[in-house]
Amino acid sequence: MGEFNVHRVRFFNYVPSGIRCVAYNNQSNRLAVSRTDGTVEIYNLSANYFQEKFFPGHESRATEALCWAKGQRLFSAGLNGEIIEYDLQALTIKYAVDAFGGPIWSMAASPNASQLLVGCEDGSVKLFQITPDKIQFERNFDRQKSRILSLSWHPAGTHVAAGSIDYISVFDSKSGSAIGKMLVDRQYMGVSKRKCIIWGVAFLSDGTVISVDSAGKVQIWDSATGTLVKNHLVSNADVQSIAVSPQEDSFVVGTAEGTVFHFQLVSVTSSSSEKQWVRTKPFQHHTHDVRAVAHSPTALISGGTDTHLVIRPLMEKVEVKNYDAALRKITFPHRRLVSCAKKKQLLLFQFAHHLELWRLGSTVATGKNGDTLPLSKNADHLLHLKTKGPENIICSCISPCGGWIACSTASRFFLYRLNYEHDNISLQRVSKMPVFLRSALQILFSEDSTKLFVASNQGSLRVIRLQEGGFTHPRAFQPQSGTVQSMCLLAVSPDGNWLAASGSSAGVHVYNVKQLKLHCTVPAYNFPVTALAIAPNTNNLVIAHSDQQVFEYSIPDKQYTEWSRTVQKQGFHHLWLQRDTPITHISFHPKRPMHILLHDTYMFCLIDKSLPLPNDKTLLYNPLPPTNESDVIRRRTAHAFKISKKYKLARG
């Protein structure tokens, strides 16, 4: 692979928050995921399951419900009693409305997406009208005796089922009157429990209501008569979630034991038209409670306390057996939480509410290729920087010289000056930061640490010139006409002349830093950008997309390079394209301009542009040829890709 000293950093103790809710949007094929810290993530299932957007968490927002409405409108509700709508362009909260019913436990959008129902702690079910700009309270349904823990609309929009404690209510959606009640048996393994909590309900087109409860039961009800049709005891613990396929021919439930069960509607006999629900497949991909499930046309999706988002394809529904047919377990964010000060050998780690600054360990030992060298000096924990307030940190960065740290939350921007004296470090906060720097989505220092680039959630790009006492007034880049979109990724050229910015769509814009003007726009591509970097000397922009394609674009020439054209003509190896985690970082060998370094969660790759690309008959993950082979043979068997999985993160 080359002459690298690899530091195995095992002191970044990052633990993702547990998953509380998932909501699948059949129109856009996107999945919204909320976590226990209030963070909301959006995955584009059509773009290789890439996490294309996220909204930072907040200590006061304990999300209990999440749903899509009106196509691309996303709502959440939680224990603070507020309904929140998210701005998917600016990546910020659009507004919050108090439902005035205490904590909200459940929420559901009407089939025509024009109305929103919420179930509250005080037993009320509240109906809101979805207007173009906001939501407006319409009326209350008949109040129940206990909290409303689950809601489901009839597909025709005429009725609503509401799960509570010990019973399920059926409402007329026009009048809001309760027209039926189904009492749930408290029996659990022959023993009567004090309460039976209805964690989830699903209303089907034929009037069937399916419920899941704390007694480990999945029950099928006839809503017209209020009678129990079928009872399935599936778990010794709570069944906590349910989701039905769009065709209503299967559904999935998640349990507190970490098991996911799949039910299908099958014919009683081969010659009979009568059908019944049958439990067909149990899956054990989780170690703890499965708090949320979703059912896309081709996959079962689950998430829970163990923080994993699991996508299990339904093989009978997958037409092409490509990477869509592979089981996926998404654990880590698809964004960078680590930045590096190369000149000082420092690493800055980003957590939800604090930053940690570490100095890498060092060694004086030497050895041959592959040896593990003992440390002569251990890694040092230099700084623990905690932010005030309930908001999660959105982004952070340390300057290459190690003298500056910047970070941002949804409402505050922080800039710190660091001074090092022997083994001591002092920190000074830069005061009076401009208001318009708040809610920065991405921040990046120039290679010489004299400039700080800030991308806001309103689509603006600004540059701050840093000096010993603070900063000069920020200057704004001239935006591209007619577009207002948030910039999610930034890359600056080592000479400081060029800045590349990628938005939440697939476009990449390149700006002239000196003139603060748009220089060029890279031709649009269908898949979102996951990483980008500008090479030294050549100023070639290397871009990785979520479908595992890698492009190289010459900024001075405003066109793709010859190497990039060759790659697109020949194509990448099929095993490279089938990888299920995105490239999250790109770098370059400081002494070898033909080498591109990149990595995802599980592998580190060096691309040598001077060597031929591997074809599908070649081993992609090829071992290095024996050292006793001649240079001619070694050269003949070598190809451009050198991949190591030795340093991958643990999947557990």
Side-chain angles (χ1 to χ4, degrees):
M1 291 219 28
E3 62 294 341
F4 296 105
N5 283 334
V6 179
H7 295 263
R8 301 200 71 170
V9 176
R10 299 181 181 182
F11 40 85
F12 181 28
N13 299 315
Y14 174 79
V15 179
S17 297
I19 292 173
R20 182 60 193 92
C21 312
V22 296
Y24 175 68
N25 187 331
N26 199 27
Q27 272 185 279
S28 63
N29 199 28
R30 282 172 169 80
L31 182 77
V33 176
S34 70
R35 296 188 179 268
T36 52
D37 67 347
T39 299
V40 174
E41 303 161 347
I42 297 178
Y43 294 83
N44 187 341
L45 305 194
S46 300
N48 204 6
Y49 300 84
F50 177 60
Q51 185 192 109
E52 62 180 5
K53 299 176 183 180
F54 88 101
F55 300 86
H58 193 285
E59 285 182 348
S60 69
R61 289 202 305 267
T63 304
E64 286 291 326
L66 195 65
C67 74
W68 295 91
K70 291 281 187 183
Q72 291 290 332
R73 294 178 70 174
L74 180 65
F75 296 88
S76 75
L79 300 184
N80 63 355
E82 292 180 339
I83 304 169
I84 292 171
E85 183 175 2
Y86 297 89
D87 188 327
L88 300 182
Q89 292 301 316
L91 300 186
T92 187
I93 289 175
K94 198 171 183 180
Y95 60 83
V97 173
D98 196 323
F100 294 103
I104 298 172
W105 291 95
S106 53
M107 178 171 57
S110 62
N112 64 6
S114 63
Q115 295 172 311
L116 199 65
L117 269 181
V118 294
C120 303
E121 173 74 21
D122 64 359
S124 62
V125 177
K126 297 175 181 289
L127 183 67
F128 289 82
Q129 194 73 27
I130 301 175
T131 64
D133 299 321
K134 214 171 180 181
I135 58 172
Q136 185 175 344
F137 176 74
E138 194 165 319
R139 66 172 176 272
N140 283 315
F141 284 14
D142 289 350
R143 180 172 292 190
Q144 303 303 296
K145 293 180 180 179
S146 58
R147 65 180 65 148
I148 306 298
L149 292 156
S150 49
L151 288 168
S152 179
W153 288 80
H154 186 278
T158 54
H159 297 86
V160 172
S164 191
I165 297 175
D166 292 333
Y167 63 90
I168 303 164
S169 301
V170 177
F171 298 93
D172 181 287
S173 61
K174 290 185 178 179
S175 66
S177 301
I179 59 173
K181 182 178 288 188
M182 295 169 278
L183 296 177
V184 178
D185 189 1
R186 294 184 180 183
Q187 289 288 321
Y188 171 73
M189 303 293 285
V191 180
S192 181
K193 298 185 75 175
R194 288 195 307 171
K195 293 179 180 178
C196 186
I197 301 169
I198 314 302
W199 288 119
V201 290
F203 217 144
L204 306 186
S205 301
D206 63 359
T208 297
V209 172
I210 307 171
S211 67
V212 296
D213 60 44
S214 60
K217 302 190 300 291
V218 176
Q219 296 187 311
I220 317 293
W221 303 84
D222 184 336
S223 65
T225 61
T227 55
L228 180 64
V229 177
K230 186 74 174 177
N231 179 54
H232 297 269
L233 183 62
V234 299
S235 176
N236 294 326
D238 296 39
V239 184
Q240 297 179 312
S241 48
I242 181 172
V244 181
S245 70
Q247 297 80 19
E248 296 187 357
D249 57 356
S250 73
F251 67 88
V252 58
V253 300
T255 74
E257 295 175 317
T259 308
V260 172
F261 291 98
H262 186 209
F263 287 77
Q264 290 180 284
L265 191 62
V266 298
S267 299
V268 176
T269 63
S270 58
S271 58
S272 172
S273 60
E274 183 184 352
K275 293 185 176 182
Q276 66 180 9
W277 289 103
V278 176
R279 188 177 74 191
T280 56
K281 302 169 188 172
F283 305 119
Q284 188 77 44
H285 299 303
H286 297 274
T287 57
H288 294 76
D289 304 39
V290 179
R291 300 295 303 273
V293 291
H295 198 318
S296 80
T298 60
L300 307 179
I301 303 164
S302 57
T305 311
D306 64 2
T307 77
H308 301 309
L309 179 65
V310 176
I311 298 114
R312 183 180 181 90
L314 298 169
M315 297 307 293
E316 65 272 17
K317 303 284 188 179
V318 179
E319 295 180 5
V320 182
K321 298 300 185 283
N322 56 9
Y323 54 65
D324 287 332
L327 173 75
R328 290 163 186 267
K329 184 179 282 191
I330 301 171
T331 304
F332 301 104
H334 293 169
R335 61 184 189 276
R336 292 175 59 190
L337 300 175
V338 181
S339 58
C340 177
K342 301 175 187 176
K343 297 170 185 176
K344 287 274 190 180
Q345 296 278 287
L346 302 175
L347 291 178
L348 183 71
F349 300 140
Q350 178 183 317
F351 296 85
H353 294 284
H354 74 274
L355 304 173
E356 289 184 7
L357 183 64
W358 288 74
R359 180 184 286 120
L360 287 172
S362 59
T363 182
V364 294
T366 57
K368 62 180 184 296
N369 211 9
D371 285 355
T372 300
L373 305 179
L375 288 177
S376 56
K377 186 178 181 182
N378 290 327
D380 291 330
H381 186 184
L382 302 177
L383 184 67
H384 183 101
L385 184 60
K386 184 170 173 55
T387 58
K388 294 180 180 179
E391 298 173 332
N392 283 19
I393 298 172
I394 300 175
C395 56
S396 62
C397 194
I398 186 169
S399 63
C401 71
W404 299 91
I405 287 177
C407 66
S408 174
T409 67
S411 64
R412 304 179 79 184
F413 186 90
F414 302 92
L415 180 63
Y416 299 93
R417 182 70 166 132
L418 280 73
N419 292 297
Y420 305 87
E421 292 182 11
H422 305 295
D423 290 334
N424 296 322
I425 181 171
S426 62
L427 185 75
Q428 181 184 358
R429 181 179 167 187
V430 178
S431 59
K432 298 181 181 178
M433 297 302 296
V435 174
F436 50 73
L437 292 181
R438 293 176 182 176
S439 198
L441 291 178
Q442 195 66 235
I443 47 185
L444 183 68
F445 289 92
S446 61
E447 195 73 22
D448 61 5
S449 302
T450 62
K451 302 181 190 72
L452 175 63
F453 302 97
V454 181
S456 79
N457 61 4
Q458 300 301 320
S460 67
L461 275 171
R462 300 181 188 271
V463 57
I464 302 169
R465 296 189 181 275
L466 304 172
Q467 53 195 29
E468 191 61 38
F471 63 94
T472 60
H473 190 72
R475 300 176 66 193
F477 286 91
Q478 181 180 320
Q480 188 189 24
S481 59
T483 61
V484 178
Q485 64 165 331
S486 51
M487 295 297 174
C488 301
L489 290 171
L490 297 177
V492 63
S493 61
D495 60 16
N497 292 330
W498 307 105
L499 178 71
S502 169
S504 51
S505 66
V508 178
H509 309 298
V510 180
Y511 296 88
N512 186 309
V513 174
K514 292 180 180 178
Q515 298 177 3
L516 299 176
K517 289 184 178 179
L518 181 69
H519 172 71
C520 64
T521 298
V522 179
Y525 188 65
N526 293 334
F527 289 83
V529 177
T530 65
L532 69 167
I534 301 175
N537 304 320
T538 61
N539 281 328
N540 289 338
L541 173 63
V542 179
I543 308 167
H545 291 270
S546 66
D547 64 344
Q548 312 300 358
Q549 294 290 345
V550 179
F551 296 89
E552 187 181 49
Y553 186 85
S554 172
I555 293 175
D557 297 337
K558 299 184 181 181
Q559 63 180 7
Y560 288 114
T561 65
E562 195 60 38
W563 178 82
S564 190
R565 295 177 191 277
T566 301
V567 167
Q568 293 312 305
K569 186 176 180 180
Q570 180 176 330
F572 284 118
H573 197 285
H574 71 281
L575 292 178
W576 174 266
L577 298 176
Q578 288 174 13
R579 290 170 25 260
D580 63 356
T581 54
I583 298 296
T584 53
H585 187 211
I586 300 171
S587 188
F588 305 94
H589 196 300
K591 297 179 181 178
R592 299 190 178 184
M594 297 300 284
H595 288 189
I596 302 173
L597 309 175
L598 35 79
H599 74 84
D600 62 16
T601 307
Y602 305 116
M603 71 91 203
F604 173 80
C605 178
L606 185 152
I607 299 178
D608 186 345
K609 295 190 295 178
S610 67
L611 292 176
L613 293 169
N615 57 44
D616 283 350
K617 296 179 181 178
T618 309
L619 285 173
L620 177 65
Y621 302 99
N622 60 331
L624 292 174
T627 54
N628 58 358
E629 294 281 12
S630 68
D631 289 341
V632 176
I633 295 176
R634 288 170 64 84
R635 190 76 179 174
R636 189 187 305 150
T637 57
H639 59 65
F641 282 71
K642 303 296 180 290
I643 297 172
S644 171
K645 294 187 175 183
K646 185 177 179 180
Y647 310 106
K648 66 182 179 181
L649 296 174
R651 281 184 183 265

